Amino acid sequence: MCRVVDLRQAVLAKNDGVAQALRDELTARGTTVVNLLSSPGSGKTALLERELLLARERSVPVAALTADLATENDALRLARSGVPVKQVLTDGLCHLEAGMLGRHLDGWLPEDTRLLFVENVGNLVCPAGYDLGESLRVVLASVTEGEDKPLKYPSAFGLAQLVVVTKTDIAQAVEFDEAAFRANVERVNPGVEIVMTSARKGEGLGLLLDRALAAGAGAATHTPVMARRQQATGHDHGSVDDHDHGPVHGHGHLHSHDHGCDHGSDHPHPHGPGHTHDHTPAHDHDHDHDHRRDDDHRRDDGHPRVRPAAQTR
């Protein structure tokens, strides 16, 4: 049991190092990463589409990367905004990791990108423990999911720097208790901002974009109590709350996968503007073994390399 815990902490510690290197590199080139976490069906794609459209109206150079186990549905929707969009299919992996993100950005992310929204895999357990090099971590929950969601998933909500409630246009119909939800968020993450939104009605539209731009401009972001505890106790990403009984990263990925699959020509889709896709299974566990592809994508110091894209928009 101790061996499993030690390996898990080593995996997450290695991810943290890669994430910090990626954060430093992207920050140096003026790009702010926003990590969006939620359950499936929360409405984050609908809200993100509206925010991307607004960013384009404001002439903010923005891009989006969306991760799913299968299908390109979200990328096709987001591409309607006209901004650069990339789909990553994880081939069953329940979360993104910093090394995976760095490789998928390499050669794709336009050099002048000011904001990169990363729509993580729909899951409130696995992604919570993985830093992606983001400057702002956002957790979304719809009014249909129940007021006790923050108590059921304390790591996800407890490490958020911003909480977004979606689908407020149907809050009355589903008898959503906003006061109870706010109280439960406060229990796991005191002081975090909660914004109410409706992609359909336009309520709160632009708040996510504003908070992301502020973070990129150097404004102070919320520091969760749970994050401070992790730092004080050696950055243990494991279960830090009595309510959170599941492993933070799910499968205990302690071995390397290299499927070498290339599905590129097998999926002829009518992609929208700026939409690219990458079907290569994105397993980048790097836990006890060096990944065969790492040498091609790392600088001499071992950090992920993000090259300016040659494309123009």
Side-chain angles (χ1 to χ4, degrees), residues 54 70 75 150 157 165:
L54 184 59
F157 284 88
V165 178

Side-chain angles (χ1 to χ4, degrees), residues 113-124:
T113 303
R114 187 172 172 189
L115 291 179
L116 171 65
F117 288 96
V118 177
E119 186 179 12
N120 218 315
V121 179
N123 185 341
L124 283 177

Side-chain angles (χ1 to χ4, degrees), residues 13-276:
K14 184 171 184 178
N15 180 82
D16 286 349
V18 176
Q20 187 57 52
L22 184 60
R23 181 183 295 107
D24 291 344
E25 187 162 348
L26 290 172
T27 298
R29 57 181 273 183
T31 300
T32 299
V33 177
V34 181
N35 187 5
L36 303 175
L37 292 80
S38 79
S39 300
S42 68
K44 68 178 178 293
T45 304
L47 179 63
L48 180 55
E49 183 181 1
R50 295 291 302 274
E51 297 287 339
L52 294 176
L53 284 167
L54 184 59
R56 191 178 180 195
E57 291 174 7
R58 295 183 183 179
S59 299
V60 177
V62 64
L65 181 146
T66 181
D68 275 306
L69 276 67
T71 82
E72 296 183 357
N73 295 346
D74 288 352
L76 291 171
R77 289 175 60 187
L78 294 178
R80 296 184 304 201
S81 66
V83 309
V85 174
K86 185 171 188 179
Q87 176 77 59
V88 173
L89 300 183
T90 65
D91 193 34
L93 190 62
C94 61
H95 61 274
L96 286 173
E97 298 176 15
M100 294 161 53
L101 178 62
R103 281 198 293 275
H104 285 296
L105 298 183
D106 198 4
W108 168 74
L109 187 68
E111 186 174 6
D112 66 342
T113 303
R114 187 172 172 189
L115 291 179
L116 171 65
F117 288 96
V118 177
E119 186 179 12
N120 218 315
V121 179
N123 185 341
L124 283 177
V125 180
C126 303
Y130 285 86
D131 183 359
L132 297 183
E134 69 263 22
S135 296
L136 185 65
R137 176 176 288 212
V138 183
V139 173
L140 302 90
S142 73
V143 298
T144 63
E145 295 178 57
E147 296 81 2
D148 61 346
K149 204 71 177 246
L151 304 182
K152 290 182 176 180
Y153 300 93
S155 291
F157 284 88
L159 292 171
Q161 295 168 293
L162 177 68
V163 175
V164 175
V165 178
T166 60
K167 305 183 182 181
T168 58
D169 54 295
I170 60 172
Q172 185 175 0
V174 299
E175 299 182 346
F176 176 68
D177 188 337
E178 181 180 341
F181 179 84
R182 287 181 176 274
N184 290 334
V185 171
E186 185 69 15
R187 284 180 61 184
V188 299
N189 195 346
V192 69
E193 182 183 10
I194 302 172
V195 298
M196 312 298 288
T197 67
S198 168
R200 179 176 294 179
K201 298 293 185 181
E203 179 184 358
L205 184 62
L207 290 176
L208 176 57
L209 178 60
D210 290 342
R211 300 304 184 268
L213 289 171
T221 55
H222 173 69
T223 302
V225 171
M226 189 176 292
R228 294 199 293 267
R229 286 181 192 155
Q230 289 183 350
Q231 292 168 0
T233 58
H235 211 68
D236 181 1
H237 291 265
S239 229
V240 294
D241 188 290
D242 291 339
H243 299 283
D244 187 6
H245 301 290
V248 170
H249 54 90
H251 303 300
H253 297 123
L254 304 176
H255 57 283
S256 175
H257 300 274
D258 189 355
H259 297 276
C261 301
D262 181 4
H263 305 287
S265 61
D266 296 336
H267 300 270
H269 293 294
H271 304 306
H275 171 214
T276 63

